[in-house]
């Protein structure tokens, strides 16, 4: 049994509260629109003051973009949980299982699509999302090089970038066709499977 340090317990609590705030904000964005939703409304819906909300996020934009940090942390946790002898490409595919499970639930999929449209149509959010995705891929690449010493940092960056490109292509196809994301991702990642 592992003992959590005070800082790791605090960080886990902070992430849980941030996750809850992101969910509350996204629900309001879906119902009212991003521009029409105030920080005060988000704080009230979360049962806290505006000042308390700003202890966990720095801005309204952060309530949209923080989801990328949460996804990054989940992906890294899932990657770390994979068997040590598993090929890197397989581990990267399995790393996406949390995203697939989340989007397979209609309760999450529809709001996620609305928020994605908000991000795509709001220039500052779109720019922030691209930066967060780049940071996410960089962090996962570092994890890959630590986990697989035979994979160079350049190769890790390319593999992670390719895996995310597969996810993006599969998501776009799933949205267009209504086909489940998991099988589409399996198909495209099988085609793109590297030799390492």
């Amino acid at each position: 049994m592992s003992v959590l340090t005070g800082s790791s317990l605090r960080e886990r609590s902070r992430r849980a509260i941030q996750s809850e705030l992101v969910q509350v904000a996204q629900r309001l964005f879906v119902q009212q629109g991003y521009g029409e939703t105030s920080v005060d409304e988000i704080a009230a819906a979360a049962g806290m003051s505006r000042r308390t909300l700003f202890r966990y996020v720095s801005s309204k934009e952060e309530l949209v973009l923080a989801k990328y940090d949460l996804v990054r942390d989940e992906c890294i946790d899932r990657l770390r949980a994979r068997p040590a002898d598993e090929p890197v490409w397989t581990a990267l595919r399995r790393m996406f299982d949390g995203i697939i499970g989340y989007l397979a639930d209609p309760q999450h999929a529809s709001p996620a699509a609305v928020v994605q449209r908000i991000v795509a149509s709001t220039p500052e959010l779109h720019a922030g999302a691209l930066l967060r995705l780049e940071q996410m891929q960089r962090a996962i690449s570092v994890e890959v090089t630590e986990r697989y010493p035979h994979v160079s940092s350049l190769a890790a960056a390319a593999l992670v970038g390719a895996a995310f490109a597969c996810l993006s292509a599969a998501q776009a196809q799933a949205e267009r066709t209504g086909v489940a994301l998991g099988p589409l991702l399996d198909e495209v990642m099988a085609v793109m499977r590297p030799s390492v």
Side-chain angles (χ1 to χ4, degrees):
M1 181 169 125
S2 66
V3 178
L4 291 174
T5 65
S7 62
S8 66
L9 183 57
R10 274 192 299 276
E11 182 57 29
R12 287 176 66 176
S13 296
R14 181 178 182 77
R15 284 197 311 187
I17 292 169
Q18 284 176 326
S19 178
E20 183 179 334
L21 286 171
V22 166
Q23 290 174 18
V24 167
Q26 290 186 0
R27 187 179 70 243
L28 290 173
F29 297 154
V30 167
Q31 291 170 353
Q32 302 174 180
Y34 175 75
E36 294 73 28
T37 303
S38 72
V39 170
D40 290 328
E41 289 174 304
I42 296 165
M48 62 178 61
S49 70
R50 177 187 179 104
R51 184 175 181 169
T52 301
L53 181 141
F54 283 127
R55 287 186 196 152
Y56 297 98
V57 294
S58 60
S59 64
K60 184 168 115 173
E61 292 82 10
E62 183 69 17
L63 287 164
V64 175
L65 299 176
K67 75 173 185 170
Y68 294 96
D69 297 336
L70 298 169
V71 170
R72 176 203 61 215
D73 293 345
E74 181 184 340
C75 284
I76 289 173
D77 289 346
R78 284 184 174 274
L79 187 59
R80 287 177 179 160
R82 301 304 306 161
D85 60 346
E86 185 171 62
V88 62
W89 193 245
T90 303
L92 289 171
R93 165 56 190 88
R94 300 274 55 105
M95 175 187 75
F96 292 135
D97 284 343
I99 294 169
I100 291 168
Y102 183 84
L103 294 176
D105 181 346
Q107 186 176 5
H108 296 124
S110 181
V114 171
V115 171
Q116 192 56 41
R117 284 193 294 277
I118 290 169
V119 169
S121 65
T122 309
E124 64 272 14
L125 291 176
H126 190 247
L130 291 174
L131 177 61
R132 296 292 175 99
L133 283 169
E134 179 185 328
Q135 292 168 341
M136 181 189 310
Q137 290 181 28
R138 205 171 20 227
I140 293 168
S141 296
V142 168
E143 187 64 33
V144 167
T145 59
E146 290 174 3
R147 181 180 170 83
Y148 299 95
H150 68 283
V151 177
S152 71
S153 59
L154 177 60
L159 287 166
V160 170
F164 272 88
C166 289
L167 177 64
S168 179
Q171 281 183 294
Q173 181 77 354
E175 288 171 16
R176 280 193 306 273
T177 63
V179 175
L181 176 58
L184 291 172
L185 184 57
D186 289 337
E187 177 185 337
V188 72
M189 288 189 77
V191 169
M192 299 298 292
R193 181 177 302 283
S195 60
V196 294

